[in-house]
């Protein structure tokens, strides 16, 4: 990444320097060209005040040395005088552009290769009072030497600027990439002050995603460990009892007892596997949930009928109160939600206790509440009861047949229906769980 950024910076710098050098050279040439013609014009006006052919040899020598050439031309184009060449051998100048312009407009300018000196020359011509044309020329060799010096200077400055840009680009790239490198090293420990303001939302999002990934990874590891442990316990019991029966060392009563224990362990395995499958389905994003209009009160009555036998077994009374409350939900999931809440309320209740299922509307939203008079939940454990396999009292949970997944399933179903769940509990006085459906 650094190499790409550095190369881009260097390429941009090189292009910018080249473009600036070309623009500077073009501008310099235009200014120089204008200055030369202005100087030739000034010289022409001075020389026009005297006769060119009468100029002393010393002046002509100095003019020639400076690259200046004086030519006097008749109206018909014949050359009367030339400071560098023999005028008698020179061709007619009537059609030269600067002569044509001077005869027509009083002055003319041109730049071309001279046929006599074979050099590129700047020409300025002016018409004198007697109708003749005075032309001043200047060789371009001295001008080109100046331009070449300018090119060398421009290239030198450009090279220095390019080197400076390369150094600055390297430092800037290093500073630019530094926060990203810190993110790569350990994004969790990266402080927001260490990155640019424009990157803070991006860094915050990546950090949160990273934390979520770590959290989910830890949850999966814990889930796998818990599942292995939960499956191992009943499987060990089944294997042990079955081995005793198979060995023929048990009497009739022992065989019946061991078979009963095997049946209990198998049922526990079945409940556990069913709950794991249900959680897996709820976790899957591909699961399509179909919603329909449901009556919470009607579904609560159905749950009451289902819980009749477990409630009698635990000597608990299940009662339904409230009014009709319609929601948009999935029938199987809402049945599962009510059943798990009621099952927990019955399982962790006291002998002679009571479970109350209430339905209705609160603040305009359909509401379901399951309240029991059971053992309650300690305050320090209330935040964790919706975690998978979490049990407040592990020994009691196993004796009552709980898998530790019921409330985790409830939490997922609530999330699937975009509802809210709240829990109020007091140890020894019972628990109340309320689900409010916001849609």
């Amino acid at each position: 990444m650094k190499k790409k950024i550095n190369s881009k910076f260097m390429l941009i710098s090189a292009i910018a320097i080249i473009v600036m050098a070309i623009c500077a050279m073009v501008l310099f040439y235009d200014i120089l060209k204008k200055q030369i013609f202005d100087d030739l014009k000034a010289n022409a006006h001075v020389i026009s005040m005297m006769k060119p052919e009468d100029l002393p040899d010393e002046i002509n020598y100095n003019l020639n040395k400076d690259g200046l050439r004086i030519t006097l031309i008749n109206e018909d184009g014949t050359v009367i005088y030339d400071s560098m060449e023999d005028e008698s051998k020179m061709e007619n100048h009537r059609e030269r552009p600067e002569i044509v312009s001077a005869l027509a407009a009083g002055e003319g300018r041109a730049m071309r290769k001279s046929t006599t000196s074979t050099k590129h020359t700047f020409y300025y011509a002016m018409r004198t009072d007697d109708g003749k044309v005075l032309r001043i020329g200047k060789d371009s060799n001295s001008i080109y030497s100046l331009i070449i010096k300018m090119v060398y200077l421009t290239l030198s400055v450009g090279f220095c600027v390019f080197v400076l840009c390369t150094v600055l680009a390297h430092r800037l790239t290093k500073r630019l990439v530094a926060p990203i490198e810190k993110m790569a090293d350990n994004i969790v420990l990266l402080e927001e002050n260490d990155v640019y303001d424009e990157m803070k939302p991006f860094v915050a999002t990546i950090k949160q995603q990273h934390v979520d990934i770590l959290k989910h990874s830890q949850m999966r590891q814990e889930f796998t460990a818990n599942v292995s442990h939960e499956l191992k316990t009943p499987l060990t019991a089944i294997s042990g009892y079955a081995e005793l029966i198979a060995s023929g060392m048990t009497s009739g009563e022992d065989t019946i007892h061991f078979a009963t224990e095997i049946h209990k362990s198998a049922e526990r395995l079945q409940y556990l596997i069913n709950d794991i499958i249900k959680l897996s389905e709820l976790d899957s994003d591909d699961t399509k949930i179909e919603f329909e209009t449901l009556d919470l009160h009607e579904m609560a009555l159905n749950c009451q009928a289902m819980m009749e036998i477990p409630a009698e077994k635990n000597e608990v009374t299940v009662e339904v109160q409230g009014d009709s409350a319609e929601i948009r939900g999935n029938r199987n999931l809402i049945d599962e939600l009510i059943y798990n809440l009621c099952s927990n309320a019955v399982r962790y209740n006291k002998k002679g206790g009571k479970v109350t299922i209430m339905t209705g509307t609160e603040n305009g939203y359909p509401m379901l509440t399951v309240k029991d008079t059971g053992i309650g939940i300690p305050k320090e454990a209330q935040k964790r009861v919706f975690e998978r396999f979490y049990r407040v009292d592990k020994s009691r949970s196993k004796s009552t047949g709980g898998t530790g997944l019921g409330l985790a399933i409830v939490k997922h179903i609530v999330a699937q229906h975009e509802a809210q769940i709240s829990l109020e509990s007091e140890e020894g006085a019972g628990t109340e769980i309320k689900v409010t459906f916001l849609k």
Side-chain angles (χ1 to χ4, degrees):
M1 183 177 180
K2 284 183 178 180
K3 290 182 178 179
K4 287 185 177 180
I5 296 176
N6 271 324
S7 61
K8 295 297 182 183
F9 273 132
M10 292 168 65
L11 179 62
I12 292 172
S13 300
I15 292 174
I17 291 170
I18 292 171
V19 171
M20 290 298 296
I22 292 173
C23 292
M25 293 302 300
V26 170
L27 182 62
F28 172 75
Y29 180 75
D30 287 341
I31 294 174
L32 183 61
K33 184 177 176 182
K34 183 179 180 301
Q35 184 63 46
I36 290 171
F37 280 123
D38 288 344
D39 291 343
L40 291 176
K41 182 178 179 180
N43 290 329
H45 282 286
V46 172
I47 295 172
S48 65
M49 297 179 183
M50 60 186 73
K51 289 182 180 182
E53 60 271 22
D54 295 335
L55 290 174
D57 292 338
E58 184 180 353
I59 294 178
N60 279 325
Y61 174 78
N62 290 330
L63 290 175
N64 292 338
K65 187 178 179 181
D66 293 336
L68 287 175
R69 178 182 179 184
I70 304 171
T71 307
L72 189 62
I73 304 153
N74 263 326
E75 289 185 50
D76 59 1
T78 57
V79 179
I80 302 173
Y81 170 77
D82 190 272
S83 61
M84 288 187 178
E85 301 291 338
D86 184 359
E87 60 272 8
S88 62
K89 296 179 181 180
M90 296 177 66
E91 62 184 15
N92 192 285
H93 282 37
R94 183 68 178 79
E95 300 301 324
R96 302 292 171 87
E98 69 278 7
I99 305 302
V100 174
S101 296
L103 291 173
E107 68 173 6
R109 301 182 183 192
M111 185 185 73
R112 66 177 181 278
K113 185 176 181 180
S114 173
T115 57
T116 54
S117 63
T118 66
K119 296 179 181 178
H120 283 85
T121 308
F122 291 87
Y123 293 110
Y124 175 81
M126 62 173 290
R127 190 177 58 203
T128 59
D129 295 338
D130 55 5
K132 296 182 179 64
V133 175
L134 175 64
R135 187 183 70 177
I136 307 295
K138 184 175 180 62
D139 289 340
S140 60
N141 288 348
S142 57
I143 299 168
Y144 288 151
S145 63
L146 184 61
I147 292 175
I148 290 171
K149 291 180 181 179
M150 182 65 182
V151 169
Y152 286 146
L153 178 62
T154 303
L155 290 176
S156 300
V157 173
F159 178 76
C160 294
V161 172
F162 181 75
V163 172
L164 178 61
C165 288
T166 302
V167 174
L168 292 177
H170 179 73
R171 295 185 61 183
L172 181 61
T173 302
K174 189 175 181 180
R175 292 185 60 186
L176 184 66
V177 177
I180 300 175
E181 291 179 338
K182 289 183 180 179
M183 288 171 58
D185 291 338
N186 195 330
I187 192 170
V188 176
L189 299 179
L190 182 67
E191 297 293 336
E192 289 192 4
N193 294 331
D194 295 336
V195 299
Y196 309 112
D197 292 339
E198 293 81 4
M199 291 181 64
K200 286 182 180 179
F202 170 75
V203 172
T205 302
I206 296 297
K207 285 179 69 174
Q208 185 59 46
Q209 290 177 349
H210 185 72
V211 171
D212 291 342
I213 290 171
L214 292 177
K215 183 178 179 181
H216 291 158
S217 176
Q218 184 178 1
M219 288 175 61
R220 282 195 297 271
Q221 291 177 355
E222 291 178 356
F223 181 74
T224 303
N226 287 328
V227 167
S228 301
H229 176 74
E230 293 295 332
L231 291 175
K232 184 178 180 181
T233 303
L235 282 174
T236 302
I238 291 172
S239 177
Y241 289 132
E243 186 177 358
L244 289 173
I245 294 173
S247 66
M249 298 173 58
T250 59
S251 62
E253 292 182 359
D254 289 337
T255 300
I256 294 173
H257 171 69
F258 292 158
T260 301
E261 293 299 322
I262 289 174
H263 179 68
K264 288 181 180 178
S265 296
E267 280 189 332
R268 177 171 173 77
L269 273 177
Q270 185 176 3
Y271 290 141
L272 181 62
I273 291 170
N274 287 337
D275 284 347
I276 292 172
I277 292 173
K278 177 63 67 176
L279 268 177
S280 177
E281 291 174 350
L282 292 172
D283 281 337
S284 175
D285 295 331
D286 298 331
T287 305
K288 185 177 181 181
I289 302 177
E290 296 181 357
F291 289 86
E292 59 182 297
T293 301
L294 306 173
D295 187 344
L296 289 176
H297 191 75
E298 179 184 332
M299 300 184 78
L301 292 173
N302 293 337
C303 182
Q304 181 187 28
M306 292 174 62
M307 295 300 302
E308 185 175 347
I309 295 176
E312 288 180 1
K313 183 180 179 181
N314 287 276
E315 300 179 17
V316 175
T317 303
V318 179
E319 183 180 281
V320 177
Q321 298 178 358
D323 304 317
S324 175
E326 291 188 346
I327 65 168
R328 291 288 297 175
N330 179 273
R331 182 174 294 277
N332 292 333
L333 294 182
I334 297 300
D335 273 337
E336 186 81 19
L337 181 146
I338 299 174
Y339 177 82
N340 282 343
L341 291 178
C342 292
S343 177
N344 273 5
V346 169
R347 186 180 293 116
Y348 299 107
N349 217 314
K350 302 173 183 177
K351 298 293 183 181
K354 182 179 180 181
V355 175
T356 305
I357 308 173
M358 292 176 285
T359 61
T361 304
E362 187 176 88
N363 298 325
Y365 297 109
M367 170 269 301
L368 168 73
T369 302
V370 177
K371 185 176 182 180
D372 65 63
T373 58
I375 60 175
I377 303 171
K379 288 186 176 180
E380 63 273 11
Q382 290 179 14
K383 292 182 178 180
R384 300 194 60 191
V385 292
F386 293 101
E387 296 179 9
R388 301 176 185 187
F389 293 109
Y390 180 78
R391 296 185 178 93
V392 177
D393 186 344
K394 294 185 179 181
S395 60
R396 181 178 175 88
S397 296
K398 290 184 179 180
S399 65
T400 57
T403 64
L405 294 174
L407 290 181
I409 293 173
V410 167
K411 179 182 176 182
H412 274 71
I413 296 174
V414 167
Q416 294 278 13
H417 288 76
E418 299 184 26
Q420 288 182 349
I421 188 168
S422 61
L423 181 147
E424 292 183 6
S425 183
E426 185 176 344
E427 199 169 1
T431 301
E432 178 180 317
I433 296 179
K434 181 189 292 185
V435 180
T436 304
F437 295 87
L438 303 178
K439 288 189 177 182

